[in-house]
PDB file of all heavy atoms in Angstrom:
ATOM      1  N   SER G   6     -15.668  33.094 -10.204  1.00  0.00           N
ATOM      2  CA  SER G   6     -16.302  31.894 -10.857  1.00  0.00           C
ATOM      3  C   SER G   6     -16.210  30.668 -10.007  1.00  0.00           C
ATOM      4  O   SER G   6     -15.434  30.692  -9.000  1.00  0.00           O
ATOM      5  CB  SER G   6     -15.691  31.701 -12.217  1.00  0.00           C
ATOM      6  OG  SER G   6     -14.309  31.351 -12.039  1.00  0.00           O
ATOM      7  N   PHE G   7     -16.828  29.630 -10.421  1.00  0.00           N
ATOM      8  CA  PHE G   7     -16.783  28.378  -9.694  1.00  0.00           C
ATOM      9  C   PHE G   7     -16.959  27.318 -10.699  1.00  0.00           C
ATOM     10  O   PHE G   7     -17.666  27.382 -11.656  1.00  0.00           O
ATOM     11  CB  PHE G   7     -18.052  28.293  -8.797  1.00  0.00           C
ATOM     12  CG  PHE G   7     -18.376  26.926  -8.195  1.00  0.00           C
ATOM     13  CD1 PHE G   7     -17.792  26.552  -6.999  1.00  0.00           C
ATOM     14  CD2 PHE G   7     -19.270  26.048  -8.837  1.00  0.00           C
ATOM     15  CE1 PHE G   7     -18.055  25.246  -6.478  1.00  0.00           C
ATOM     16  CE2 PHE G   7     -19.481  24.714  -8.247  1.00  0.00           C
ATOM     17  CZ  PHE G   7     -18.855  24.411  -7.091  1.00  0.00           C
ATOM     18  N   LYS G   8     -16.118  26.197 -10.566  1.00  0.00           N
ATOM     19  CA  LYS G   8     -16.111  25.077 -11.501  1.00  0.00           C
ATOM     20  C   LYS G   8     -16.279  23.826 -10.712  1.00  0.00           C
ATOM     21  O   LYS G   8     -15.730  23.655  -9.604  1.00  0.00           O
ATOM     22  CB  LYS G   8     -14.836  25.085 -12.301  1.00  0.00           C
ATOM     23  CG  LYS G   8     -14.639  26.149 -13.332  1.00  0.00           C
ATOM     24  CD  LYS G   8     -13.370  25.879 -14.122  1.00  0.00           C
ATOM     25  CE  LYS G   8     -13.184  27.030 -15.125  1.00  0.00           C
ATOM     26  NZ  LYS G   8     -11.961  26.863 -15.971  1.00  0.00           N
ATOM     27  N   ALA G   9     -17.016  22.876 -11.269  1.00  0.00           N
ATOM     28  CA  ALA G   9     -17.170  21.632 -10.717  1.00  0.00           C
ATOM     29  C   ALA G   9     -17.470  20.477 -11.780  1.00  0.00           C
ATOM     30  O   ALA G   9     -17.915  20.844 -12.964  1.00  0.00           O
ATOM     31  CB  ALA G   9     -18.266  21.558  -9.699  1.00  0.00           C
ATOM     32  N   HIS G  10     -17.259  19.244 -11.441  1.00  0.00           N
ATOM     33  CA  HIS G  10     -17.603  18.153 -12.303  1.00  0.00           C
ATOM     34  C   HIS G  10     -18.855  17.486 -11.660  1.00  0.00           C
ATOM     35  O   HIS G  10     -18.718  17.127 -10.531  1.00  0.00           O
ATOM     36  CB  HIS G  10     -16.445  17.097 -12.519  1.00  0.00           C
ATOM     37  CG  HIS G  10     -16.840  16.026 -13.350  1.00  0.00           C
ATOM     38  ND1 HIS G  10     -17.155  16.114 -14.800  1.00  0.00           N
ATOM     39  CD2 HIS G  10     -17.168  14.692 -13.091  1.00  0.00           C
ATOM     40  CE1 HIS G  10     -17.483  14.936 -15.181  1.00  0.00           C
ATOM     41  NE2 HIS G  10     -17.598  14.067 -14.195  1.00  0.00           N
ATOM     42  N   LEU G  11     -19.865  17.251 -12.313  1.00  0.00           N
ATOM     43  CA  LEU G  11     -21.129  16.646 -11.864  1.00  0.00           C
ATOM     44  C   LEU G  11     -21.120  15.196 -12.383  1.00  0.00           C
ATOM     45  O   LEU G  11     -21.358  14.998 -13.593  1.00  0.00           O
ATOM     46  CB  LEU G  11     -22.304  17.446 -12.358  1.00  0.00           C
ATOM     47  CG  LEU G  11     -22.327  18.928 -12.016  1.00  0.00           C
ATOM     48  CD1 LEU G  11     -23.514  19.592 -12.722  1.00  0.00           C
ATOM     49  CD2 LEU G  11     -22.188  19.212 -10.489  1.00  0.00           C
ATOM     50  N   ARG G  12     -20.810  14.223 -11.636  1.00  0.00           N
ATOM     51  CA  ARG G  12     -20.600  12.878 -12.080  1.00  0.00           C
ATOM     52  C   ARG G  12     -21.842  12.274 -12.617  1.00  0.00           C
ATOM     53  O   ARG G  12     -21.799  11.430 -13.572  1.00  0.00           O
ATOM     54  CB  ARG G  12     -20.155  11.979 -10.975  1.00  0.00           C
ATOM     55  CG  ARG G  12     -18.742  12.112 -10.592  1.00  0.00           C
ATOM     56  CD  ARG G  12     -18.340  10.983  -9.639  1.00  0.00           C
ATOM     57  NE  ARG G  12     -19.313  10.772  -8.625  1.00  0.00           N
ATOM     58  CZ  ARG G  12     -19.037  10.668  -7.301  1.00  0.00           C
ATOM     59  NH1 ARG G  12     -17.876  10.718  -6.910  1.00  0.00           N
ATOM     60  NH2 ARG G  12     -19.948  10.499  -6.440  1.00  0.00           N
ATOM     61  N   ASP G  13     -23.068  12.659 -12.161  1.00  0.00           N
ATOM     62  CA  ASP G  13     -24.340  12.143 -12.603  1.00  0.00           C
ATOM     63  C   ASP G  13     -25.444  13.108 -12.275  1.00  0.00           C
ATOM     64  O   ASP G  13     -25.194  14.155 -11.774  1.00  0.00           O
ATOM     65  CB  ASP G  13     -24.471  10.712 -11.897  1.00  0.00           C
ATOM     66  CG  ASP G  13     -24.408  10.728 -10.460  1.00  0.00           C
ATOM     67  OD1 ASP G  13     -24.779  11.765  -9.857  1.00  0.00           O
ATOM     68  OD2 ASP G  13     -24.100   9.692  -9.882  1.00  0.00           O
ATOM     69  N   HIS G  16     -25.641  14.606  -8.765  1.00  0.00           N
ATOM     70  CA  HIS G  16     -24.727  15.837  -8.511  1.00  0.00           C
ATOM     71  C   HIS G  16     -25.382  17.021  -9.142  1.00  0.00           C
ATOM     72  O   HIS G  16     -25.247  18.168  -8.582  1.00  0.00           O
ATOM     73  CB  HIS G  16     -23.333  15.527  -9.138  1.00  0.00           C
ATOM     74  CG  HIS G  16     -22.557  14.658  -8.286  1.00  0.00           C
ATOM     75  ND1 HIS G  16     -21.206  14.517  -8.433  1.00  0.00           N
ATOM     76  CD2 HIS G  16     -22.838  13.799  -7.242  1.00  0.00           C
ATOM     77  CE1 HIS G  16     -20.630  13.743  -7.484  1.00  0.00           C
ATOM     78  NE2 HIS G  16     -21.683  13.251  -6.757  1.00  0.00           N
ATOM     79  N   LEU G  20     -26.333  20.385  -7.030  1.00  0.00           N
ATOM     80  CA  LEU G  20     -25.986  21.752  -7.358  1.00  0.00           C
ATOM     81  C   LEU G  20     -27.215  22.624  -7.380  1.00  0.00           C
ATOM     82  O   LEU G  20     -27.112  23.770  -6.923  1.00  0.00           O
ATOM     83  CB  LEU G  20     -25.194  21.864  -8.710  1.00  0.00           C
ATOM     84  CG  LEU G  20     -24.780  23.218  -9.130  1.00  0.00           C
ATOM     85  CD1 LEU G  20     -23.829  23.884  -8.163  1.00  0.00           C
ATOM     86  CD2 LEU G  20     -24.140  23.167 -10.588  1.00  0.00           C
ATOM     87  N   ILE G 132     -22.695  27.611 -17.174  1.00  0.00           N
ATOM     88  CA  ILE G 132     -22.347  26.975 -18.391  1.00  0.00           C
ATOM     89  C   ILE G 132     -22.079  25.438 -18.089  1.00  0.00           C
ATOM     90  O   ILE G 132     -21.216  25.034 -17.360  1.00  0.00           O
ATOM     91  CB  ILE G 132     -20.999  27.534 -18.881  1.00  0.00           C
ATOM     92  CG1 ILE G 132     -21.165  29.083 -19.210  1.00  0.00           C
ATOM     93  CG2 ILE G 132     -20.499  26.831 -20.236  1.00  0.00           C
ATOM     94  CD1 ILE G 132     -20.026  29.867 -18.837  1.00  0.00           C
ATOM     95  N   LEU G 133     -22.971  24.736 -18.737  1.00  0.00           N
ATOM     96  CA  LEU G 133     -22.943  23.167 -18.586  1.00  0.00           C
ATOM     97  C   LEU G 133     -22.445  22.465 -19.902  1.00  0.00           C
ATOM     98  O   LEU G 133     -22.912  22.979 -20.987  1.00  0.00           O
ATOM     99  CB  LEU G 133     -24.459  22.727 -18.278  1.00  0.00           C
ATOM    100  CG  LEU G 133     -24.950  23.080 -16.949  1.00  0.00           C
ATOM    101  CD1 LEU G 133     -26.485  23.131 -16.922  1.00  0.00           C
ATOM    102  CD2 LEU G 133     -24.473  22.006 -15.913  1.00  0.00           C
ATOM    103  N   ALA G 134     -21.617  21.509 -19.745  1.00  0.00           N
ATOM    104  CA  ALA G 134     -21.155  20.802 -20.919  1.00  0.00           C
ATOM    105  C   ALA G 134     -21.049  19.287 -20.495  1.00  0.00           C
ATOM    106  O   ALA G 134     -20.723  18.966 -19.538  1.00  0.00           O
ATOM    107  CB  ALA G 134     -19.796  21.243 -21.254  1.00  0.00           C
ATOM    108  N   VAL G 135     -21.535  18.423 -21.511  1.00  0.00           N
ATOM    109  CA  VAL G 135     -21.378  17.051 -21.291  1.00  0.00           C
ATOM    110  C   VAL G 135     -19.935  16.660 -21.329  1.00  0.00           C
ATOM    111  O   VAL G 135     -19.144  17.071 -22.091  1.00  0.00           O
ATOM    112  CB  VAL G 135     -22.121  16.272 -22.447  1.00  0.00           C
ATOM    113  CG1 VAL G 135     -21.990  14.805 -22.326  1.00  0.00           C
ATOM    114  CG2 VAL G 135     -23.685  16.611 -22.518  1.00  0.00           C
ATOM    115  N   ALA G 136     -19.614  15.838 -20.231  1.00  0.00           N
ATOM    116  CA  ALA G 136     -18.320  15.362 -20.147  1.00  0.00           C
ATOM    117  C   ALA G 136     -18.225  13.840 -19.683  1.00  0.00           C
ATOM    118  O   ALA G 136     -18.479  13.516 -18.591  1.00  0.00           O
ATOM    119  CB  ALA G 136     -17.540  16.188 -18.947  1.00  0.00           C
ATOM    120  N   GLY G 137     -18.175  12.976 -20.664  1.00  0.00           N
ATOM    121  CA  GLY G 137     -18.310  11.576 -20.452  1.00  0.00           C
ATOM    122  C   GLY G 137     -19.763  11.241 -20.056  1.00  0.00           C
ATOM    123  O   GLY G 137     -20.685  11.684 -20.751  1.00  0.00           O
ATOM    124  N   GLY G 139     -20.995  12.391 -17.263  1.00  0.00           N
ATOM    125  CA  GLY G 139     -21.378  13.446 -16.351  1.00  0.00           C
ATOM    126  C   GLY G 139     -21.474  14.756 -17.046  1.00  0.00           C
ATOM    127  O   GLY G 139     -21.548  14.932 -18.263  1.00  0.00           O
ATOM    128  N   ARG G 140     -21.263  15.794 -16.304  1.00  0.00           N
ATOM    129  CA  ARG G 140     -21.327  17.210 -16.837  1.00  0.00           C
ATOM    130  C   ARG G 140     -20.133  18.017 -16.110  1.00  0.00           C
ATOM    131  O   ARG G 140     -20.012  17.903 -14.909  1.00  0.00           O
ATOM    132  CB  ARG G 140     -22.666  17.883 -16.502  1.00  0.00           C
ATOM    133  CG  ARG G 140     -23.913  17.203 -16.902  1.00  0.00           C
ATOM    134  CD  ARG G 140     -24.022  17.241 -18.486  1.00  0.00           C
ATOM    135  NE  ARG G 140     -25.267  16.626 -18.897  1.00  0.00           N
ATOM    136  CZ  ARG G 140     -25.392  15.292 -19.285  1.00  0.00           C
ATOM    137  NH1 ARG G 140     -24.369  14.469 -19.207  1.00  0.00           N
ATOM    138  NH2 ARG G 140     -26.474  14.888 -19.722  1.00  0.00           N
ATOM    139  N   ASP G 141     -19.626  18.937 -16.881  1.00  0.00           N
ATOM    140  CA  ASP G 141     -18.770  19.912 -16.345  1.00  0.00           C
ATOM    141  C   ASP G 141     -19.598  21.181 -16.168  1.00  0.00           C
ATOM    142  O   ASP G 141     -20.353  21.451 -17.082  1.00  0.00           O
ATOM    143  CB  ASP G 141     -17.553  20.221 -17.215  1.00  0.00           C
ATOM    144  CG  ASP G 141     -16.522  19.151 -17.054  1.00  0.00           C
ATOM    145  OD1 ASP G 141     -16.582  18.349 -16.107  1.00  0.00           O
ATOM    146  OD2 ASP G 141     -15.728  19.004 -17.987  1.00  0.00           O
ATOM    147  N   VAL G 142     -19.449  21.904 -15.074  1.00  0.00           N
ATOM    148  CA  VAL G 142     -20.199  23.173 -14.969  1.00  0.00           C
ATOM    149  C   VAL G 142     -19.221  24.337 -14.516  1.00  0.00           C
ATOM    150  O   VAL G 142     -18.402  24.080 -13.762  1.00  0.00           O
ATOM    151  CB  VAL G 142     -21.421  22.976 -13.991  1.00  0.00           C
ATOM    152  CG1 VAL G 142     -20.864  22.678 -12.542  1.00  0.00           C
ATOM    153  CG2 VAL G 142     -22.254  24.111 -13.781  1.00  0.00           C
ATOM    154  N   GLU G 143     -19.492  25.489 -14.998  1.00  0.00           N
ATOM    155  CA  GLU G 143     -18.883  26.688 -14.653  1.00  0.00           C
ATOM    156  C   GLU G 143     -19.952  27.688 -14.331  1.00  0.00           C
ATOM    157  O   GLU G 143     -20.851  27.937 -15.105  1.00  0.00           O
ATOM    158  CB  GLU G 143     -17.859  27.173 -15.586  1.00  0.00           C
ATOM    159  CG  GLU G 143     -17.153  28.426 -15.150  1.00  0.00           C
ATOM    160  CD  GLU G 143     -16.030  28.906 -16.149  1.00  0.00           C
ATOM    161  OE1 GLU G 143     -15.853  28.254 -17.128  1.00  0.00           O
ATOM    162  OE2 GLU G 143     -15.423  30.002 -15.776  1.00  0.00           O
ATOM    163  N   LEU G 144     -19.878  28.344 -13.129  1.00  0.00           N
ATOM    164  CA  LEU G 144     -20.703  29.427 -12.772  1.00  0.00           C
ATOM    165  C   LEU G 144     -19.842  30.722 -12.750  1.00  0.00           C
ATOM    166  O   LEU G 144     -18.783  30.727 -12.159  1.00  0.00           O
ATOM    167  CB  LEU G 144     -21.272  29.233 -11.401  1.00  0.00           C
ATOM    168  CG  LEU G 144     -22.422  28.206 -11.269  1.00  0.00           C
ATOM    169  CD1 LEU G 144     -21.957  26.730 -11.461  1.00  0.00           C
ATOM    170  CD2 LEU G 144     -23.157  28.301  -9.921  1.00  0.00           C
ATOM    171  N   GLN G 145     -20.318  31.767 -13.363  1.00  0.00           N
ATOM    172  CA  GLN G 145     -19.697  33.013 -13.507  1.00  0.00           C
ATOM    173  C   GLN G 145     -20.460  34.184 -12.962  1.00  0.00           C
ATOM    174  O   GLN G 145     -21.533  34.363 -13.477  1.00  0.00           O
ATOM    175  CB  GLN G 145     -19.265  33.311 -14.955  1.00  0.00           C
ATOM    176  CG  GLN G 145     -18.443  32.267 -15.671  1.00  0.00           C
ATOM    177  CD  GLN G 145     -18.235  32.545 -17.110  1.00  0.00           C
ATOM    178  OE1 GLN G 145     -19.057  33.212 -17.758  1.00  0.00           O
ATOM    179  NE2 GLN G 145     -17.272  31.843 -17.661  1.00  0.00           N
ATOM    180  N   PHE G 160     -20.969  24.127  -2.203  1.00  0.00           N
ATOM    181  CA  PHE G 160     -20.932  22.941  -3.001  1.00  0.00           C
ATOM    182  C   PHE G 160     -19.409  22.514  -3.236  1.00  0.00           C
ATOM    183  O   PHE G 160     -18.672  23.409  -3.513  1.00  0.00           O
ATOM    184  CB  PHE G 160     -21.607  23.254  -4.418  1.00  0.00           C
ATOM    185  CG  PHE G 160     -21.852  21.923  -5.333  1.00  0.00           C
ATOM    186  CD1 PHE G 160     -22.857  21.152  -5.058  1.00  0.00           C
ATOM    187  CD2 PHE G 160     -21.051  21.773  -6.270  1.00  0.00           C
ATOM    188  CE1 PHE G 160     -23.145  19.967  -5.779  1.00  0.00           C
ATOM    189  CE2 PHE G 160     -21.190  20.505  -7.100  1.00  0.00           C
ATOM    190  CZ  PHE G 160     -22.256  19.747  -6.839  1.00  0.00           C
ATOM    191  N   PRO G 161     -19.090  21.233  -3.048  1.00  0.00           N
ATOM    192  CA  PRO G 161     -17.684  20.903  -3.198  1.00  0.00           C
ATOM    193  C   PRO G 161     -17.086  21.148  -4.605  1.00  0.00           C
ATOM    194  O   PRO G 161     -17.781  20.653  -5.480  1.00  0.00           O
ATOM    195  CB  PRO G 161     -17.608  19.430  -2.709  1.00  0.00           C
ATOM    196  CG  PRO G 161     -19.018  18.955  -2.963  1.00  0.00           C
ATOM    197  CD  PRO G 161     -19.932  20.145  -2.818  1.00  0.00           C
ATOM    198  N   ARG G 162     -15.937  21.655  -4.605  1.00  0.00           N
ATOM    199  CA  ARG G 162     -15.208  21.807  -5.920  1.00  0.00           C
ATOM    200  C   ARG G 162     -14.594  20.474  -6.237  1.00  0.00           C
ATOM    201  O   ARG G 162     -13.623  20.031  -5.442  1.00  0.00           O
ATOM    202  CB  ARG G 162     -14.181  22.837  -5.834  1.00  0.00           C
ATOM    203  CG  ARG G 162     -14.736  24.167  -5.661  1.00  0.00           C
ATOM    204  CD  ARG G 162     -13.558  25.327  -5.568  1.00  0.00           C
ATOM    205  NE  ARG G 162     -14.127  26.513  -5.286  1.00  0.00           N
ATOM    206  CZ  ARG G 162     -14.373  27.457  -6.235  1.00  0.00           C
ATOM    207  NH1 ARG G 162     -14.232  27.220  -7.438  1.00  0.00           N
ATOM    208  NH2 ARG G 162     -14.897  28.660  -5.824  1.00  0.00           N
ATOM    209  N   ILE G 163     -15.055  19.790  -7.273  1.00  0.00           N
ATOM    210  CA  ILE G 163     -14.505  18.501  -7.543  1.00  0.00           C
ATOM    211  C   ILE G 163     -14.021  18.354  -8.907  1.00  0.00           C
ATOM    212  O   ILE G 163     -13.834  17.242  -9.446  1.00  0.00           O
ATOM    213  CB  ILE G 163     -15.529  17.454  -7.202  1.00  0.00           C
ATOM    214  CG1 ILE G 163     -16.929  17.785  -7.749  1.00  0.00           C
ATOM    215  CG2 ILE G 163     -15.632  17.037  -5.846  1.00  0.00           C
ATOM    216  CD1 ILE G 163     -17.980  16.852  -7.427  1.00  0.00           C
ATOM    217  N   LEU G 164     -13.837  19.472  -9.666  1.00  0.00           N
ATOM    218  CA  LEU G 164     -13.344  19.432 -11.050  1.00  0.00           C
ATOM    219  C   LEU G 164     -11.774  19.486 -11.045  1.00  0.00           C
ATOM    220  O   LEU G 164     -11.207  20.261 -10.250  1.00  0.00           O
ATOM    221  CB  LEU G 164     -13.922  20.567 -11.864  1.00  0.00           C
ATOM    222  CG  LEU G 164     -13.543  20.682 -13.358  1.00  0.00           C
ATOM    223  CD1 LEU G 164     -13.963  19.536 -14.094  1.00  0.00           C
ATOM    224  CD2 LEU G 164     -13.947  21.969 -13.985  1.00  0.00           C
TER     225      LEU G 164
END
Side-chain angles (χ1 to χ4, degrees):
S6 69
F7 168 88
K8 291 182 181 182
H10 177 72
L11 309 171
R12 284 193 316 231
D13 55 29
H16 280 196
L20 180 60
I132 301 144
L133 289 153
V135 175
R140 307 288 183 266
D141 287 336
V142 65
E143 181 175 0
L144 285 68
Q145 301 171 342
F160 190 78
R162 292 178 187 266
I163 45 183
L164 181 64

